[in-house]
């Protein structure tokens, strides 16, 4: 196939601009077969209907240049949606692209598979709202594949498209996913939009997963009520200021005032009290828990500084100790001292290993003297993971589940 033919094939892909011919290289052995919808009229019609946005085109070209791949990659043609339906009119306009994709497949497919293997897999996340649900679902699932992601044996790139509220923009993304060989994960509250995504992915052979649909249908069946079909934040949805909202605001205000041992007389009013040496993540953990509606106070443990008496007078079942690996803590403290502009003399004591170990041992003695306090090891844990441990223990104690009255590390 000549270079001119290659350029022409790339121009037939709706929504993408033609790419210049690559550097001189041996021409591929395959010969492009004439596919359906390659005529001038059909090209113009398809381009008018499904012209890609400039932003999406720039994003695609930039990613392609970084990875060293072409834009005109072949796409596997999937069987068209069977039977007439509400999406039939949308899918009728896609025949031009399907024909081009069919004509592009040939002996070149092995090279394409090899390129995809070296460049990594793509996951597109599409949402009609903020995309929080889709993003966190995908990240949680990817956590099951750290054994290969760390070794870069199956590298993955994720891309979030939020606020997708019309079918034309949705189809642009599905088309790009087909070209990139990506998987599509979507959370679309509108049933018609979700059906559009499902049918378009089926038509173009894009593997897809509907995160929101199955659980929404299950809850609707359980409650016996139809869902609204409106995304979060839609104009048709109202969000009254409930008692829960004001409780969270109050918790955040309380937690900010109680940060770093301030106002120790108010420790009795706290739902949760965190105690630990400097840089064990007390403040970010406190703010995270406050956003969930818990009043949190944190008390720093520093050698030579007496702890407030109220810390030992409050209900011990709501106090949690935080500890960390000394090597990790030293590295964090060095970075923190450097960012604050401390001189070498000023930060030698704060981040010196002997002092770090001594301070952790001092905190450990305090924890052992208060065996009811659970001690949570935060090394290598994200804030969300530490918060999950705290809340599990907190609610177990409130519900009077069996808890050994002895200090234990979590």
């Amino acid at each position: 196939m000549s270079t001119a033919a290659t350029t022409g094939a790339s121009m037939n892909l709706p929504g993408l601009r033609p790419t210049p011919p690559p550097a001189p290289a041996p021409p591929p052995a395959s010969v492009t077969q004439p596919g359906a919808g390659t005529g001038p009229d059909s090209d113009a019609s398809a381009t008018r209907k499904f012209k890609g946005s400039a932003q999406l085109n720039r994003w695609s070209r930039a990613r392609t240049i970084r990875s060293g791949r072409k834009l005109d990659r072949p796409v596997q043609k999937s069987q068209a949606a069977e039977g007439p339906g509400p999406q039939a009119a949308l899918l009728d306009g896609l025949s031009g692209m399907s024909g081009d994709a069919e004509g592009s497949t040939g002996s070149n497919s092995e090279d394409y598979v090899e390129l995809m293997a070296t460049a990594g897999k793509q996951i597109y996340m599409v949402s009609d709202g903020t995309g929080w649900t889709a993003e966190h679902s995908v990240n949680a699932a990817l956590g099951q594949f750290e054994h290969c992601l760390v070794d870069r044996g199956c590298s993955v790139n994720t891309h979030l498209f939020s606020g997708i509220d019309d079918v034309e923009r949705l189809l642009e993304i599905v088309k790009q996913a087909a070209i990139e060989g990506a998987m599509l994960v979507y959370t679309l509250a509108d049933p018609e939009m979700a059906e559009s995504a499902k049918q378009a992915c089926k038509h173009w052979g894009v593997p897809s997963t509907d995160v929101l649909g199955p659980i929404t249908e299950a809850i609707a069946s359980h409650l016996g009520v139809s869902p609204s079909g409106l995304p979060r934040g839609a104009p048709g949805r109202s969000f009254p200021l409930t008692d829960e909202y004001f409780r969270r605001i109050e918790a955040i205000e309380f937690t900010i005032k109680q940060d770093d041992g301030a106002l120790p007389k108010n420790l009795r009013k706290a739902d949760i009290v965190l105690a630990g040496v400097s840089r064990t993540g007390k403040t970010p953990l406190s703010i995270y828990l406050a956003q969930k509606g818990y009043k949190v106070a944190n008390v720093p443990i520093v050698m030579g500084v007496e702890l407030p008496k109220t810390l030992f007078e409050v209900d011990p079942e709501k106090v949690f100790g935080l500890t960390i690996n000394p090597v990790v803590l030293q590295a964090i403290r060095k970075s923190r001292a450097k960012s604050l502009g401390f001189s070498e003399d000023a930060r030698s004591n704060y981040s010196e290993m002997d002092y770090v170990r001594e301070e952790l041992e001092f905190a450990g003695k305090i924890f052992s003297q208060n065996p009811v306090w659970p001690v949570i090891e935060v090394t290598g844990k994200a804030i969300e993971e530490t918060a999950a441990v705290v809340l599990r223990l907190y609610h177990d104690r409130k519900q009077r589940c069996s808890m050994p009255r002895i200090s234990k590390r979590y």
Side-chain angles (χ1 to χ4, degrees):
M1 182 172 63
S2 64
T3 304
T6 305
T7 307
S10 67
M11 292 177 65
N12 287 334
L13 293 177
L16 292 175
R17 298 179 182 177
T19 55
S30 62
V31 178
T32 303
Q33 301 175 359
T38 55
D41 296 337
S42 62
D43 287 345
S45 175
T47 304
R48 283 196 302 270
K49 289 183 179 180
F50 302 101
K51 184 178 180 181
S53 66
Q55 182 178 1
L56 186 59
N57 289 336
R58 288 195 298 271
W59 169 83
S60 176
R61 289 198 302 273
R63 284 190 56 257
T64 302
I65 292 172
R66 286 197 300 269
S67 60
R69 291 174 280 134
K70 298 180 182 178
L71 285 173
D72 56 340
R73 281 184 269 162
V75 183
Q76 294 180 354
K77 181 182 178 182
S78 63
Q79 184 177 0
E82 298 178 0
Q87 311 306 321
L90 293 172
L91 297 178
D92 285 343
L94 308 180
S95 58
M97 180 179 176
S98 297
D100 293 338
E102 183 181 17
S104 300
T105 56
S107 61
N108 233 11
S109 59
E110 294 182 359
D111 296 335
Y112 171 65
V113 172
E114 184 178 355
L115 282 171
M116 289 301 299
T118 57
K121 302 292 185 180
Q122 314 295 326
I123 299 178
Y124 284 14
M125 299 169 289
V126 179
S127 172
D128 49 14
T130 61
W132 187 95
T133 302
E135 188 174 25
H136 281 69
S137 298
V138 169
N139 289 336
L142 287 176
Q144 301 298 314
F145 302 93
E146 291 179 349
H147 57 284
C148 71
L149 295 178
V150 173
D151 297 334
R152 309 304 295 174
C154 53
S155 57
V156 175
N157 298 317
T158 60
H159 309 281
L160 175 63
F161 299 88
S162 58
I164 306 302
D165 54 2
D166 63 80
V167 175
E168 184 176 355
R169 293 175 64 195
L170 175 63
L171 292 181
E172 282 185 19
I173 296 169
V174 178
K175 285 188 295 183
Q176 189 66 37
I179 296 170
E180 295 284 342
M183 173 186 179
L184 191 76
V185 177
Y186 57 93
T187 54
L188 300 169
D190 187 347
E192 292 186 3
M193 287 281 290
E195 184 65 18
S196 297
K198 179 180 178 181
Q199 294 295 340
C201 289
K202 181 179 179 182
H203 186 80
W204 286 334
V206 176
S208 63
T209 297
D210 183 359
V211 176
L212 195 61
I215 190 171
T216 302
E217 294 174 3
I219 294 176
S221 176
H222 180 66
L223 299 179
V225 179
S226 299
S228 66
L230 296 175
R232 292 174 63 91
R237 293 185 62 175
S238 59
F239 297 92
L241 300 180
T242 62
D243 292 339
E244 172 69 17
Y245 169 81
F246 288 107
R247 187 170 68 87
R248 292 173 60 190
I249 295 299
E250 183 181 359
I252 293 173
E253 291 177 347
F254 176 89
T255 301
I256 293 174
K257 292 178 181 178
Q258 297 298 136
D259 185 37
D260 205 25
L263 302 177
K265 62 182 180 180
N266 291 333
L267 290 180
R268 296 183 182 89
K269 300 178 183 179
D271 298 317
I272 296 172
V273 179
L274 305 176
V277 301
S278 175
R279 314 318 300 175
T280 50
K282 298 185 299 298
T283 296
L285 179 58
S286 300
I287 298 299
Y288 181 87
L289 293 170
Q291 291 176 347
K292 294 182 174 293
Y294 300 92
K295 295 180 180 179
V296 185
N298 71 80
V299 179
I301 298 177
V302 183
M303 286 194 306
V305 178
E306 185 179 359
L307 290 170
K309 294 180 179 180
T310 49
L311 177 63
F312 306 99
E313 296 172 355
V314 300
D315 183 359
E317 292 192 348
K318 65 182 182 182
V319 182
F320 296 82
L322 303 180
T323 188
I324 191 172
N325 181 278
V327 177
V328 175
L329 179 59
Q330 183 194 28
I332 295 174
R333 287 188 173 185
K334 281 185 175 180
S335 176
R336 175 64 173 169
K338 186 176 181 180
S339 66
L340 293 175
F342 291 170
S343 63
E344 291 293 336
D345 295 337
R347 65 174 182 252
S348 60
N349 188 36
Y350 177 71
S351 58
E352 199 266 329
M353 177 55 75
D354 291 340
Y355 180 82
V356 169
R357 291 184 183 277
E358 189 177 357
E359 195 168 48
L360 286 172
E361 290 175 1
F362 175 73
K365 291 178 181 179
I366 295 175
F367 297 152
S368 63
Q369 293 169 1
N370 298 271
V372 181
W373 298 359
V375 180
I376 302 174
E377 172 68 58
V378 301
T379 307
K381 284 189 176 75
I383 296 298
E384 297 86 350
E385 294 176 299
T386 306
V389 176
V390 170
L391 293 180
R392 175 173 60 83
L393 297 174
Y394 174 79
H395 287 292
D396 283 349
R397 288 180 164 188
K398 285 199 71 175
Q399 297 168 9
R400 294 302 172 188
C401 295
S402 58
M403 285 288 297
R405 299 189 65 81
I406 185 172
S407 181
K408 183 177 179 182
R409 289 179 179 263
Y410 295 89

